[in-house]
Amino acid sequence: MPKPKKEPHVFPPTLSADDLHLFNEGTAHRIYDKLGAQLCVHEGVAGVSFAAWAPNASQVWVVGDFNGWDGAAHPLRMLGSSGVWERFVPGLGAGVLYKFQICDRSGHSQLKTDPYGQSFEAAPGNAAIVCDTRSYQWGDAEWMQARREGAVSRSSESGAARETLDRPISIYEVHLGSWRRDPSEPDRLLSYRELAPQLADYAVEMGFTHVEIMPIAEHPFDGSWGYQVTGFYAPSQRYGTPEDFAWFVDHLHQRGVGVILDWVPAHFPRDAFALAQFDGTALYEHADPRQGAHMDWGTLIFNYGRNEVRGFLAANALFWLERYHIDGLRVDAVASMLYLDYSRASGEWIPNQYGGRENLEAIAFLKHVNGLIEHYHPGVLRIAEESTSFPGVTRPLAEGGLGFDFKWNMGWMHDTLHYFAKEPVHRKWHHNDLSFGMLYQYSEQFITVFSHDEVVHGKGSLLLKMGAEHIPEKAANLRALYAHMWAWPGKKLLFMGGEFAQSAEWSHNRSLDWHLCQYADHEGVRRLVRDLNQLYRSEPALGTSDLSPEGFQWLACYDTDASVIAYLRKASAAARPSVGGAGGDASAQSRRSCAALIAIVGHFTPVVREHYRVGVPQAGLWREILNTNSAHYGGSGLGNDGARHTEPIPADGHPQSLLLTLPPHTVLFFRCEVGPQ
């Protein structure tokens, strides 16, 4: 244990009694401005205030390159009974490396990184770096203003919030370290400033509204992909400084692309230098492994019932939104937070106070965080990765829900991939995989996803999952799958590489195989995804009716032998194009209703089906606006000559029908353009 040295001057605390009270209460929403290392002027002197929460420590020192890593020079003092140790060190500035040396009550001392550190050096040093994340000069005022103006506070008394969310949202999920690298330096990671222009160019070209970044909070192990965080308040140094990350977000905003961040409040790793046993006791985690240990991931579970821990995480969510202008948080592993018995056998978990399996403290925490975001940043998206049928995930807080805006539709993903993985001859026995999802489609507000989880751990790429023998047929199946995905209700998310049919399973330690885009089977898929995004963003029937059952209607879902489904997408009344004056004549009214209808016909066998009849509700011309068998996408070009007129022949319960040619493994979009004259 370091021996204390005589101090020339003892500065009074930089934290007030109110600061400490709010911290202990868990209601200091911006506690990151108080704890950790704060550049400040205190009593007229410039320096750094260091503060750490370690209530069970017997002594805490701050050590760093400024004192030769000698704790004796700078002991911290406990502030009352708050558990917070603090000291102002004059003369220090940005760039100083530091850690906390913490002695537990048994006399054992260990070095810990700052839980509130906002910048870190690389492993194995892992020291925090004093920095100012408030000094960046942002240039995205126009973007932020538009986001604020478009935000509507969620309320059980108004449908405005649902309408605000029911807009085109198409998300490109990205792992920064492996999205793209310089071919001449394949082992070097691109920086935030190198990535931003390239990623913005690509997202704009492809028509994605947002990019979702896999976790970039500091983490020591590349193979965790960022999901085992040790620096919750720090953008990873792998790609540059905090200012560089701010520049990254700023640049994408100025190009019209939103940024969603994967946020990981469900668990943290056991690394000895970080949160685990921070003051010699289970401080951030539960002491009992039946509550505090994740069986699947070997990590520790936050103690959501402890005020200071809840405040640490809630403030962390606000930190990313305020310091880095993040447009949405996708909360990882929500299912593991909701259930005490998640991935546990009988006897390996402790029931809640009512004898149930729900984690009441975690549920209260999620509601608390969503409420704070709604209050302070009502335009920010709140997205749950939740794989169970827990009720009310996207129900508003005022109605007793968890308060998320969206939930990943894991059930649809699983069923759809299960269907497309079958050889076509067997698909007729699994036809219900394509239709079952509609039974629960509007129970939540969904994002339809094919994420990184589907292309790792030996699962293979989406292309190779397709139930066909040869690559061209697999590519045709994948094109049909994507068209069905973009036509199906729900916002969209696709993991990088999927858009050009990457053949290999994703690897975090190398670039995507961009060279594949020189081949028609791969470039054709990429062109299709680009065109699907364009249609999704331009056609009200596809992009503004995702959340309402009125936006979907089955035309036919019973033809199991032919493996054909057909359904209608309809624009909401508010989104339908206006024609003529206030009332308009009869033909104008007919054209108006026509323009809001798009019929989707999917055929998933390798044969051509000619003279296939599909009933539709509106007579007139139905233009073929997308055909996944187009030669432009790598198909044969067979289709319906650009359009089909209805015939007054009843089919599928409708008085009018279309006589179509269905190419193999193809999805067709038809827009009703001309009604009866």
Side-chain angles (χ1 to χ4, degrees):
M1 182 180 299
K3 294 182 179 179
K5 298 180 180 179
K6 183 178 179 181
E7 296 191 40
H9 176 67
V10 178
F11 287 84
T14 54
L15 284 83
S16 70
D18 285 345
D19 292 333
L20 298 171
H21 172 76
L22 293 174
F23 169 67
N24 291 140
E25 192 178 62
T27 56
H29 298 159
R30 295 174 178 83
I31 191 61
Y32 52 82
D33 283 335
K34 302 294 181 178
L35 295 190
Q38 304 295 330
L39 287 162
C40 62
V41 175
H42 187 46
E43 290 200 326
V45 179
V48 177
S49 169
F50 295 97
W53 179 54
N56 300 301
S58 62
Q59 183 58 60
V60 178
W61 302 265
V62 60
V63 299
D65 55 2
F66 60 93
N67 62 12
W69 302 94
D70 178 9
H74 296 99
L76 276 61
R77 60 188 162 198
M78 172 82 84
L79 300 181
S81 59
S82 66
V84 174
W85 298 75
E86 182 268 354
R87 179 183 181 127
F88 175 77
V89 181
L92 300 185
V96 167
L97 274 65
Y98 71 98
K99 292 183 179 181
F100 293 116
Q101 185 173 351
I102 300 176
C103 184
D104 64 26
R105 293 180 180 176
S106 298
H108 175 69
S109 180
Q110 57 181 338
L111 289 178
K112 289 286 191 177
T113 55
D114 180 6
Y116 291 87
Q118 297 178 19
S119 179
F120 286 90
E121 67 170 343
N126 302 309
I129 305 172
V130 175
C131 66
D132 181 5
T133 57
R134 293 170 290 196
S135 60
Y136 179 78
Q137 298 298 307
W138 289 86
D140 64 348
E142 184 177 348
W143 171 274
M144 297 296 285
Q145 180 63 26
R147 195 180 80 181
R148 284 189 293 269
E149 291 175 353
V152 176
S153 180
R154 296 188 64 163
S155 168
S156 60
E157 300 173 357
S158 170
R162 175 176 283 261
E163 291 174 6
T164 300
L165 291 172
D166 205 358
R167 64 184 190 272
I169 296 176
S170 184
I171 303 167
Y172 187 49
E173 187 189 19
V174 175
H175 177 263
L176 292 183
S178 58
W179 176 66
R180 183 176 288 172
R181 297 188 183 182
D182 184 339
S184 66
E185 301 177 89
D187 295 328
R188 182 181 72 86
L189 300 177
L190 298 183
S191 70
Y192 292 121
R193 291 179 184 260
E194 290 174 301
L195 284 163
Q198 297 183 49
L199 185 55
D201 285 346
Y202 190 67
V204 170
E205 176 198 352
M206 293 299 292
F208 289 102
T209 62
H210 295 74
V211 296
E212 179 178 313
I213 309 301
M214 290 171 66
I216 51 84
E218 196 58 81
H219 52 283
F221 177 47
D222 291 344
S224 78
W225 313 331
Y227 289 100
Q228 296 194 10
V229 180
T230 53
F232 281 80
Y233 284 82
S236 177
Q237 47 72 35
R238 290 168 175 79
Y239 314 108
T241 66
E243 183 174 279
D244 293 334
F245 180 64
W247 191 92
F248 171 93
V249 177
D250 196 5
H251 184 84
L252 265 72
H253 281 177
Q254 293 184 52
R255 296 293 307 280
V257 180
V259 181
I260 298 169
L261 188 65
D262 262 15
W263 187 52
V264 192
H267 62 131
F268 60 93
R270 297 173 181 266
D271 297 72
F273 67 85
L275 291 181
Q277 294 281 308
F278 186 74
D279 64 355
T281 68
L283 188 62
Y284 287 87
E285 68 272 34
H286 289 275
D288 191 324
R290 293 175 297 172
Q291 295 173 289
H294 258 305
M295 303 302 184
D296 290 347
W297 307 316
T299 53
L300 299 172
I301 300 171
F302 282 103
N303 184 348
Y304 304 106
R306 193 160 197 170
N307 291 344
E308 295 88 350
V309 175
R310 186 171 61 251
F312 168 80
L313 290 170
N316 184 244
L318 295 179
F319 172 83
W320 291 103
L321 308 182
E322 295 177 358
R323 293 290 171 85
Y324 295 109
H325 293 195
I326 297 298
D327 302 291
L329 295 178
R330 176 266 193 186
V331 184
D332 180 62
V334 170
S336 75
M337 300 172 67
L338 296 176
Y339 295 104
L340 296 165
D341 63 344
Y342 181 85
S343 195
R344 295 175 185 271
S346 178
E348 295 179 347
W349 59 283
I350 299 175
N352 63 34
Q353 65 192 66
Y354 303 108
R357 55 194 285 260
E358 296 80 13
N359 189 334
L360 302 180
E361 293 171 344
I363 291 169
F365 164 73
L366 290 170
K367 291 182 177 183
H368 174 62
V369 171
N370 283 330
L372 288 179
I373 295 173
E374 183 177 303
H375 175 72
Y376 289 116
H377 303 283
V380 168
L381 298 175
R382 296 144 4 229
I383 303 167
E385 186 221 9
E386 202 283 307
S387 55
T388 75
S389 57
F390 188 90
V393 173
T394 59
R395 190 179 304 147
L397 295 170
E399 297 177 7
L402 293 185
F404 285 97
D405 293 316
F406 295 107
K407 168 180 170 173
W408 277 17
N409 196 339
M410 312 295 279
W412 182 92
M413 174 275 299
H414 179 271
D415 290 347
T416 305
L417 285 181
H418 182 260
Y419 178 86
F420 276 87
K422 298 294 181 183
E423 294 182 17
V425 69
H426 299 305
R427 287 176 177 172
K428 64 182 179 180
W429 307 111
H430 301 275
H431 201 70
N432 64 314
D433 285 341
L434 295 178
S435 57
F436 180 74
M438 190 48 61
L439 295 179
Y440 58 83
Q441 178 65 41
Y442 300 104
S443 63
E444 300 280 3
Q445 298 187 163
F446 282 118
I447 296 178
T448 306
V449 299
F450 290 124
S451 74
H452 69 276
D453 282 329
E454 313 323 315
V455 293
V456 293
H457 301 319
K459 297 176 186 176
S461 67
L462 289 178
L463 177 69
L464 296 188
K465 290 179 191 292
M466 298 297 98
E469 185 175 355
H470 302 295
I471 291 298
E473 191 176 5
K474 285 182 178 292
N477 273 268
L478 189 60
R479 295 195 302 268
L481 171 65
Y482 286 162
H484 173 52
M485 171 185 178
W486 258 261
W488 193 259
K491 309 311 171 186
K492 319 300 173 190
L493 180 142
L494 184 64
F495 182 56
M496 64 180 199
E499 81 279 9
F500 64 81
Q502 166 122 345
S503 302
E505 184 176 278
W506 172 59
S507 171
H508 69 274
N509 56 15
R510 67 180 184 88
S511 172
L512 295 178
D513 295 328
W514 291 100
H515 65 277
L516 293 176
C517 292
Q518 66 185 300
Y519 303 110
D521 289 327
H522 298 274
E523 176 63 9
V525 174
R526 195 184 75 87
R527 290 174 176 176
L528 174 69
V529 172
R530 181 188 61 197
D531 290 353
L532 285 168
N533 271 330
Q534 192 278 328
L535 280 176
Y536 177 62
R537 297 178 70 169
S538 63
E539 294 288 344
L542 297 175
T544 62
S545 59
D546 279 329
L547 307 181
S548 170
E550 287 73 28
F552 179 92
Q553 179 184 342
W554 281 115
L555 295 175
C557 61
Y558 53 82
D559 196 349
T560 59
D561 287 340
S563 296
V564 172
I565 61 170
Y567 50 92
L568 200 67
R569 294 300 308 278
K570 299 180 285 186
S572 63
R576 294 175 186 174
S578 60
V579 179
D585 59 27
S587 62
Q589 292 287 356
S590 177
R591 288 194 298 273
R592 179 164 58 219
S593 62
C594 243
L597 302 178
I598 293 180
I600 292 89
V601 182
H603 170 226
F604 308 116
T605 69
V607 302
V608 177
R609 300 194 185 276
E610 297 181 341
H611 311 300
Y612 193 94
R613 192 168 295 279
V614 175
V616 291
Q618 175 68 51
L621 177 73
W622 290 72
R623 187 172 302 282
E624 188 180 77
I625 59 172
L626 186 131
N627 178 346
T628 64
N629 189 50
S630 166
H632 186 62
Y633 305 137
S636 71
L638 179 66
N640 292 275
D641 304 318
R644 283 287 188 266
H645 283 277
T646 57
E647 299 175 354
I649 300 174
D652 302 320
H654 296 286
Q656 302 287 328
S657 59
L658 297 168
L659 194 61
L660 304 175
T661 295
L662 305 185
H665 303 302
T666 297
V667 170
L668 306 164
F669 287 26
F670 295 91
R671 179 177 58 212
C672 183
E673 293 191 349
V674 180
Q677 302 299 312

